[in-house]
Amino acid sequence: MTPVTPQNAENISTEKPHAPGLRDRKKAMRREEILSHAKHLFAKQGINATTMGDIAEAANVSPPTVFNYFGNKDGILIALITEGSRKAIAHDISMLPRTDADFASIVMDTLVTVSTGTLGIAGKRVWRYSEAATIRHPNTELAREYTRVDNKLLHALKQFIGYYDITLRAGTPADTDFLAELIFGVWNAEFFALIKDEEMDIATHKERLSARIRPLIQLLFDDAFLASPVLKPIRL
């Protein structure tokens, strides 16, 4: 990229990018409609049972149109996961640090919000299918995207834990990345149990998660920090 200097600044355009035209907006809207109908059908009748023709019919477009937008069914799944995750991250405040409650409750609130948001991105069947695809065919783009979303979530949790000036029960320095990985491992196992059980709701998931997270946190963290968590000082 060319640096901006007093000599070339006047040659650089200050015009704003053109807004999308009507045709582009219609294409974007049609794409969103196809994704919305696909998400509904996947949740209702399963991914394997849903054909590209089913999705086209529900979206009131031709099957070639669906193929042109997404290529195949995995392309639709990738779009659901990728775009849903991006929107969720853009509007997510669950990973902002808090000190208005005990630390176990703050962590629990954060994890349950993540679970709820993840199911908002795609239903249980999509996540089950993606999890299985990652195990069976780890080199596909769907498997790689699923792994990327998982890694982004772990990274966000590491940042969240890293905000706190943690005191451990053992009196040793806190490895916040390691602590985040422990907590993430427990959450991930319970989220997998949630998506495997079509009947399990978020309330039951929260109870199960609490039964595992709270004892772990109480085992690791100092009582004073647990009762009144402290944030690290902001470095200017």
Side-chain angles (χ1 to χ4, degrees):
M1 179 181 291
T2 304
V4 178
T5 65
Q7 288 74 29
N8 67 13
E10 61 183 11
N11 298 322
I12 297 176
S13 174
T14 58
E15 293 182 6
K16 295 182 179 179
H18 292 294
L22 178 60
R23 185 168 179 271
D24 289 335
R25 292 199 299 272
K26 285 184 175 180
K27 287 179 66 176
M29 288 176 60
R30 185 179 298 118
R31 189 176 187 279
E32 286 295 317
E33 288 172 2
I34 293 171
L35 276 180
S36 177
H37 286 290
K39 180 179 177 179
H40 173 74
L41 288 172
F42 290 159
K44 181 181 178 181
Q45 60 193 40
I47 295 166
N48 290 326
T50 301
T51 67
M52 297 290 271
D54 292 336
I55 297 168
E57 183 179 357
N60 198 28
V61 298
S62 67
T65 298
V66 180
F67 281 100
N68 287 339
Y69 274 102
F70 300 102
N72 53 33
K73 208 185 301 185
D74 275 9
I76 295 176
L77 290 168
I78 290 168
L80 280 173
I81 292 172
T82 305
E83 296 174 23
S85 299
R86 185 165 58 244
K87 290 175 183 176
I89 290 170
H91 297 91
D92 190 17
I93 61 169
S94 66
M95 290 293 186
L96 294 178
R98 298 164 41 202
T99 58
D100 59 339
D102 65 275
F103 189 62
S105 294
I106 290 171
V107 172
M108 274 297 306
D109 288 348
T110 299
L111 296 177
V112 172
T113 301
V114 169
S115 297
T116 305
T118 304
L119 287 182
I121 293 168
K124 291 184 178 184
R125 282 176 162 168
V126 170
W127 292 116
R128 284 200 302 269
Y129 183 95
S130 302
E131 177 85 23
T134 302
I135 296 170
R136 291 197 311 267
H137 307 292
N139 294 321
T140 63
E141 184 56 33
L142 175 60
R144 286 191 289 268
E145 186 55 42
Y146 181 86
T147 301
R148 279 194 287 267
V149 170
D150 228 24
N151 289 338
K152 285 179 182 178
L153 179 55
L154 176 56
H155 177 71
L157 187 58
K158 286 180 178 181
Q159 285 187 314
F160 175 75
I161 298 296
Y163 286 129
Y164 290 90
D165 191 7
I166 292 170
T167 306
L168 295 177
R169 192 173 294 277
T172 54
D175 183 338
T176 55
D177 281 0
F178 177 68
L179 292 170
E181 288 168 6
L182 280 178
I183 293 170
F184 180 80
V186 175
W187 172 83
N188 205 24
E190 286 302 324
F191 184 75
F192 188 56
L194 172 64
I195 63 174
K196 283 198 304 181
D197 186 345
E198 203 62 44
E199 302 302 319
M200 189 186 300
D201 58 15
I202 285 292
T204 304
H205 168 69
K206 183 177 181 178
E207 290 175 5
R208 288 172 53 101
L209 187 60
S210 181
R212 297 189 63 188
I213 286 291
R214 288 185 181 275
L216 175 65
I217 288 177
Q218 290 164 2
L219 179 69
L220 294 172
F221 297 91
D222 177 77
D223 287 338
F225 174 79
L226 283 175
S228 301
V230 178
L231 298 178
K232 291 178 180 175
I234 298 175
R235 294 181 180 179
L236 301 178

